[in-house]
Amino acid sequence: MNMQDISSGVALWRQVADGIERGIAEGRFTAGEKLPGEMEIAETYRVNRHTVRRALAALAERGLVRAERGSGTYVETARLAYPLRSRTRFSEIVGAGGREPRGQLIDASEEPATRELAQLLGLKTGAPLARIEALRLADRAPVCISTTWLSAERFPDAGNVFASARSMTKLLTHYGVRDYRRASTRITAAIVDATDAARLDLTLGRPILVVDSTDVDNDGQPLVTKRSRFAAERVEFLVENV
Amino acid sequence: MNMQDISSGVALWRQVADGIERGIAEGRFTAGEKLPGEMEIAETYRVNRHTVRRALAALAERGLVRAERGSGTYVETARLAYPLRSRTRFSEIVGAGGREPRGQLIDASEEPATRELAQLLGLKTGAPLARIEALRLADRAPVCISTTWLSAERFPDAGNVFASARSMTKLLTHYGVRDYRRASTRITAAIVDATDAARLDLTLGRPILVVDSTDVDNDGQPLVTKRSRFAAERVEFLVENV
DNA sequence: GCAAGTTGTCTATTATCATAGACAACTCGA
DNA sequence: TCGAGTTGTCTATGATAATAGACAACTTGC
């Protein structure tokens, strides 16, 4: 095979879409802002206008931009402002931003508590834990993946309950937990791994925010502990002094 | 446009090539080792054999693998063993590995010395510096990009000299520097940025090794200072105790 | 109202991607 | 020497990507 003419293997429209998305992620285009016209984008990337339309269609499909006929194409997504306080509820935070929160079960299983998890949950090492892996979205945009651990004895069949409730708050309500609060939150950053990248619709190498948190009931009894991985470009944490 | 049928925008052969390359980078296939047959790879990725051949051709073009008719396809590249010692010459190190060193000027310009650069080079802040951006390859594989700064007064027209010499050693010889040695080396790691990724033929998000180094002449006088970004998967540094 | 500029939709053409099958050319071990 | 297994090359076909042009539908500002 003559390799002179080999291409990059990445479709042009995808390169354009990635470029625009990076522009949004890096803040060159902000929420509500009008993108350059299709013709102008086409000139910038030196591609046909139809190729640009394909790129924009892909972005619109994911809810990142919205086209208005006769007017222009606008950046749809603001970074989700995510306040960190003692009463932190994903669904409430997303809803407050006028967006529709969604939860989606990826996987549920049982596993014995490691020493670390046991300590966080106030259980003994080796105690049976339910492990729930869930994807959380705002409108159609994946925001974070969380791995949640909770006592399998106190919350039997938690995986199936979450699968139908699609919300950690509702799951806890199902077991009679009327209220709970955030006891601890720890934030770090990392590079997304391949699995999470696919689920969060991120390209490899993008940064993620890793949040380890534990929720307790009103008596201070640990209920659940989580490790959440947020698409850094779609969220900003607001630390509020309580 | 119906977005039901939108593809990933990344060609199948590219996905296969990336997969195999990752296998090499992560050590699942080591240098000299025979890859699975084209049919077997095709089954693994569930694609046509011709698609696999396209992927292998792309890898062969970059010198990562070598096909032997009737026998198999073999991993060609070992990681470049890069010893760090006081006499560190890219061309010598690559040549010692039986590979052909190449240098390629990307950009040359002049800029005033920042405080930091001035200190490294023993100059005053604001002194005119030549800034040379170069790509270095072993055979056809890009190994590193270095940004080199040196005094524009002591080395006038350094950019053009490098462009024809294609080697920092030859450039220095041109100005009468008979010998030089590495005075300091500092190594860190990072994620490749978009510009370097394209030049190093890396996918975004891959790790790079960042090496800041300063070379001095036999009198200990600083000559050049560099920041080199190595494709982490193509090189391994060997620190030698002197 | 109108003109300029925008997105939406249609047809058409060419190049590339991916699959499929067949067979040649070659290597290697039994 | 032979046969199994490998890569190399050819033809062929359908799907997808990308370009090109034209015009409709719509928004905005003058």
Side-chain angles (χ1 to χ4, degrees):
Chain A
M1 180 186 301
N2 180 2
M3 298 302 300
Q4 295 289 96
D5 56 353
I6 210 162
S7 72
S8 72
V10 180
L12 274 178
W13 66 263
R14 175 67 125 89
Q15 297 181 39
V16 174
D18 285 348
I20 296 171
E21 186 177 355
R22 195 169 312 126
I24 295 172
E26 291 172 0
R28 284 198 302 281
F29 306 123
T30 57
E33 192 179 337
K34 184 171 157 179
L35 289 179
E38 292 171 354
M39 277 304 224
E40 191 177 337
I41 297 176
E43 281 165 22
T44 304
Y45 287 92
R46 291 168 206 209
V47 295
N48 191 275
R49 179 178 157 236
H50 295 284
T51 306
V52 173
R53 287 182 56 73
R54 183 106 152 92
L56 290 174
L59 294 176
E61 172 71 7
R62 287 174 40 207
L64 262 71
V65 302
R66 167 183 38 87
E68 289 191 3
R69 186 176 197 156
S71 173
T73 303
Y74 299 83
V75 176
E76 182 80 337
T77 51
R79 285 196 178 193
L80 179 64
Y82 203 100
L84 299 170
R85 47 197 168 206
S86 62
R87 232 189 99 80
T88 295
R89 304 280 188 278
F90 181 81
S91 49
E92 293 177 8
I93 289 169
V94 173
R99 299 168 74 180
E100 193 197 336
R102 283 177 49 205
Q104 188 177 310
L105 179 67
I106 295 175
D107 185 55
S109 59
E110 284 211 7
E111 64 185 30
T114 63
R115 202 176 54 79
E116 201 176 5
L117 286 172
Q119 190 172 342
L120 286 166
L121 289 170
L123 301 171
K124 285 181 182 163
T125 302
L129 296 185
R131 181 177 168 283
I132 298 174
E133 196 113 8
L135 175 66
R136 291 161 147 180
L137 307 94
D139 294 335
R140 279 159 305 187
V143 171
C144 87
I145 291 187
S146 17
T147 307
T148 306
W149 291 272
L150 61 173
S151 166
E153 288 176 343
R154 175 156 181 197
F155 306 100
D157 203 28
N160 286 329
V161 174
F162 182 86
S164 58
R166 291 167 170 279
S167 149
M168 199 49 67
T169 307
K170 286 179 186 164
L171 177 143
L172 291 173
T173 305
H174 177 270
Y175 290 102
V177 177
R178 301 237 304 276
D179 196 22
Y180 64 96
R181 61 183 172 82
R182 179 64 53 94
S184 69
T185 305
R186 197 168 60 97
I187 305 175
T188 58
I191 298 296
V192 69
D193 67 27
T195 314
D196 283 350
R199 290 166 174 168
L200 286 172
D201 204 359
L202 283 178
T203 53
L204 280 172
R206 286 287 174 85
I208 54 170
L209 289 156
V210 181
V211 179
D212 292 323
S213 60
T214 304
D215 290 330
V216 299
D217 64 19
N218 287 334
D219 301 331
Q221 193 69 24
L223 296 169
V224 302
T225 189
K226 285 196 286 277
R227 165 160 290 188
S228 306
R229 288 86 80 201
F230 288 79
E233 61 202 44
R234 293 181 202 139
V235 74
E236 57 188 6
F237 291 136
L238 307 177
V239 179
E240 299 183 352
N241 294 332
V242 184
Chain B
M1 181 187 300
N2 180 2
M3 297 303 298
Q4 294 292 94
D5 56 352
I6 209 162
S7 73
S8 73
V10 179
L12 273 179
W13 66 261
R14 175 66 124 93
Q15 297 180 40
V16 174
D18 285 347
I20 296 171
E21 186 178 355
R22 195 169 313 123
I24 296 172
E26 290 172 0
R28 283 197 302 281
F29 306 123
T30 57
E33 191 179 340
K34 184 170 158 181
L35 289 179
E38 291 171 354
M39 277 304 223
E40 189 176 338
I41 297 176
E43 280 166 23
T44 304
Y45 287 91
R46 289 165 207 218
V47 295
N48 192 276
R49 176 176 160 237
H50 294 286
T51 306
V52 172
R53 287 183 56 74
R54 184 106 154 88
L56 290 173
L59 295 175
E61 172 70 8
R62 287 173 41 208
L64 261 74
V65 303
R66 166 184 38 88
E68 289 190 3
R69 186 177 197 155
S71 173
T73 303
Y74 298 83
V75 177
E76 182 79 339
T77 52
R79 288 196 176 192
L80 179 64
Y82 203 99
L84 298 170
R85 45 196 169 206
S86 63
R87 233 190 101 81
T88 296
R89 306 279 190 278
F90 181 81
S91 48
E92 293 177 6
I93 289 169
V94 173
R99 300 168 73 179
E100 193 196 338
R102 283 177 48 204
Q104 186 178 310
L105 180 67
I106 294 174
D107 185 57
S109 58
E110 285 212 4
E111 65 185 28
T114 62
R115 200 175 55 80
E116 200 177 4
L117 286 172
Q119 190 173 342
L120 286 166
L121 289 169
L123 302 170
K124 287 182 182 162
T125 303
L129 295 185
R131 180 177 168 283
I132 297 174
E133 197 114 8
L135 175 65
R136 290 162 149 178
L137 308 94
D139 294 334
R140 280 158 304 186
V143 172
C144 87
I145 291 187
S146 18
T147 308
T148 306
W149 291 271
L150 61 173
S151 167
E153 289 176 341
R154 173 155 183 200
F155 305 100
D157 203 30
N160 286 329
V161 174
F162 182 85
S164 58
R166 293 168 169 282
S167 147
M168 197 51 66
T169 306
K170 287 179 186 164
L171 177 144
L172 291 172
T173 306
H174 178 271
Y175 290 101
V177 177
R178 301 237 303 276
D179 196 20
Y180 64 97
R181 61 184 172 84
R182 180 64 53 94
S184 69
T185 305
R186 197 168 59 99
I187 306 175
T188 58
I191 297 297
V192 69
D193 67 26
T195 314
D196 284 349
R199 290 166 175 168
L200 286 171
D201 204 357
L202 284 178
T203 54
L204 281 173
R206 287 288 174 84
I208 55 172
L209 288 157
V210 181
V211 180
D212 293 323
S213 59
T214 303
D215 289 330
V216 300
D217 64 18
N218 286 335
D219 301 332
Q221 191 70 23
L223 296 169
V224 302
T225 189
K226 285 196 285 277
R227 164 161 292 187
S228 306
R229 288 87 78 201
F230 288 77
E233 62 202 43
R234 293 180 202 139
V235 73
E236 57 188 6
F237 291 136
L238 308 176
V239 180
E240 300 183 350
N241 294 330
V242 183

